[in-house]
Amino acid sequence: MSATQRWTEMIRAEHAQSDSMRKDEPPADSWSNSAQQFRADPRRTDDGLLNHLRQLVTPEQVVLDVGAGGGRLALPLALVAQKVIAVEPSPSMCRVLRETAAEFDVRNVDVVESGWLEAEVGQADVAICAHVLYVIQDIEAFVRKMERHAGLVLAVLYQAPPQSQVYRLWEPVHGVPRLPLPSLPEFLEVLEQLGVAPDVEVVRTERNRGYDSLETAKEQLARRLYVTPESPEMARLEALLPQVLEEKDGGFSIKGAIHLEPRVISWRPGA
Ligand SMILES: C[S@@+](CC[C@H](N)C(=O)[O-])C[C@H]1O[C@@H](n2cnc3c(N)ncnc32)[C@H](O)[C@@H]1O
């Protein structure tokens, strides 16, 4: 199996497992419950990833943000670039992006409400794609289209899947191990297959404080595990929490969870 086939297969298997655990229909916009979490002050200075990306952009450049979400990166980068084209398919994410742009008076962001493969956009100097690729099945077409639209491509991925900290709860709750999404190692194999030799930089970031309270931890973990109230799975999750959670720095986190830190994978297409 080629690297691109393996990538697609991992996503399909993960999605099929999620579907088999779901008790209800998935929402039409999967970000409707969490889009507000992607609202951030575009002038913040304490975000390691943003500070890293800011240095790579100059005032005359057009930046393309593929999967811009609520504008966590698009809006601050617009403040240092000529303009940002923000491509984002989720209506709730686009709403947060537009509202935050208005709130902070950022006027040089064009929002294109579309998936990347369907998007019609002009050329840019830099294409950024942060924490999007883990679920992109047609990875080759997605990457190649970014290459056609910019002279520098910056993909941001964690060294492991974003929800990998929760994976170890799957077996005790559901009786089966979680099938993982692809992340950095598989992406580097994909790029090798595509003939791309990128630079990879680790961005040092603060450890997340974890969940604010035990109740929030239970709610969020239940959502990620597709566990519904008063089910046998919920009883197993509740019994597990005291063993797997630890209280640290005023929050609750999963014991032994790895610290997810972003990697910036960059290359100049055709170089
Ligand atoms: C985890 S969020 C990251 C948002 C933003 N890049 C950030 O780092 O804050 C992933 C985003 O990718 C978007 N996305 C998913 N599939 C996409 C696609 N085919 N084309 C463009 N964006 C996509 C989602 O709608 C979501 O807003």
Side-chain angles (χ1 to χ4, degrees):
M1 198 186 282
S2 71
T4 46
Q5 285 168 337
R6 185 166 123 79
W7 177 279
T8 309
E9 206 29 64
M10 285 179 80
I11 299 171
R12 282 213 190 109
E14 197 263 6
H15 285 7
Q17 189 182 40
S18 302
D19 290 344
S20 73
M21 296 296 174
R22 258 195 200 107
K23 311 287 181 296
D24 45 15
E25 282 295 300
D29 178 358
S30 59
W31 295 96
S32 51
N33 285 328
S34 53
Q36 288 298 336
Q37 291 165 19
F38 289 80
R39 180 188 293 276
D41 179 351
R43 295 188 174 81
R44 68 194 183 279
T45 53
D46 58 352
D47 180 330
L49 174 62
L50 173 58
N51 292 342
H52 181 93
L53 297 175
R54 259 197 203 111
Q55 292 166 29
L56 304 176
V57 172
T58 54
E60 73 289 352
Q61 286 183 325
V62 174
V63 175
L64 175 63
D65 188 352
V66 176
R72 214 169 51 106
L73 300 171
L75 295 173
L77 293 176
L79 296 173
V80 295
Q82 184 199 129
K83 115 174 161 177
V84 171
I85 304 165
V87 178
E88 172 50 53
S90 149
S92 52
M93 285 289 207
C94 285
R95 198 172 318 121
V96 171
L97 203 168
R98 291 190 180 105
E99 285 169 5
T100 317
E103 182 185 346
F104 290 94
D105 199 25
V106 182
R107 297 179 187 190
N108 54 341
V109 179
D110 294 346
V111 181
V112 179
E113 195 164 325
S114 165
W116 174 234
L117 289 179
E118 303 77 41
E120 288 185 23
V121 296
Q123 285 301 115
D125 298 288
V126 185
I128 292 176
C129 183
H131 298 307
V132 176
L133 297 175
Y134 314 102
V135 294
I136 300 301
Q137 299 199 20
D138 194 350
I139 188 71
E140 179 169 0
F142 206 90
V143 166
R144 291 298 191 209
K145 187 169 175 184
M146 285 197 286
E147 290 185 321
R148 286 197 300 279
H149 278 80
L152 174 65
V153 178
L154 305 170
V156 179
L157 287 163
Y158 288 124
Q159 75 272 34
Q163 300 217 358
S164 48
Q165 296 172 334
V166 180
Y167 285 1
R168 53 187 275 237
L169 308 190
W170 268 70
E171 193 147 10
V173 170
H174 290 300
V176 287
R178 180 52 155 159
L179 300 174
L181 282 174
S183 60
L184 179 79
E186 293 82 11
F187 187 58
L188 294 178
E189 287 170 14
V190 163
L191 290 184
E192 190 181 354
Q193 182 192 318
L194 301 185
V196 174
D199 288 328
V200 180
E201 281 188 77
V202 181
V203 179
R204 297 290 167 209
T205 53
E206 293 283 304
R207 202 174 251 280
N208 185 306
R209 263 189 66 245
Y211 307 102
D212 289 341
S213 66
L214 281 175
E215 204 42 44
T216 317
K218 190 175 105 179
E219 251 170 54
Q220 295 197 9
L221 290 170
R223 190 144 37 85
R224 290 184 174 172
L225 290 155
Y226 307 103
V227 165
T228 48
E230 293 172 31
S231 60
E233 289 84 8
M234 182 61 96
R236 291 199 285 271
L237 175 61
E238 283 170 346
L240 197 63
L241 289 181
Q243 302 158 41
V244 295
L245 289 179
E246 63 183 349
E247 198 173 352
K248 231 180 10 193
D249 306 327
F252 292 86
S253 39
I254 297 175
K255 274 184 207 161
I258 61 161
H259 175 36
L260 290 173
E261 281 187 308
R263 269 59 174 165
V264 178
I265 303 110
S266 61
W267 71 99
R268 291 187 179 278

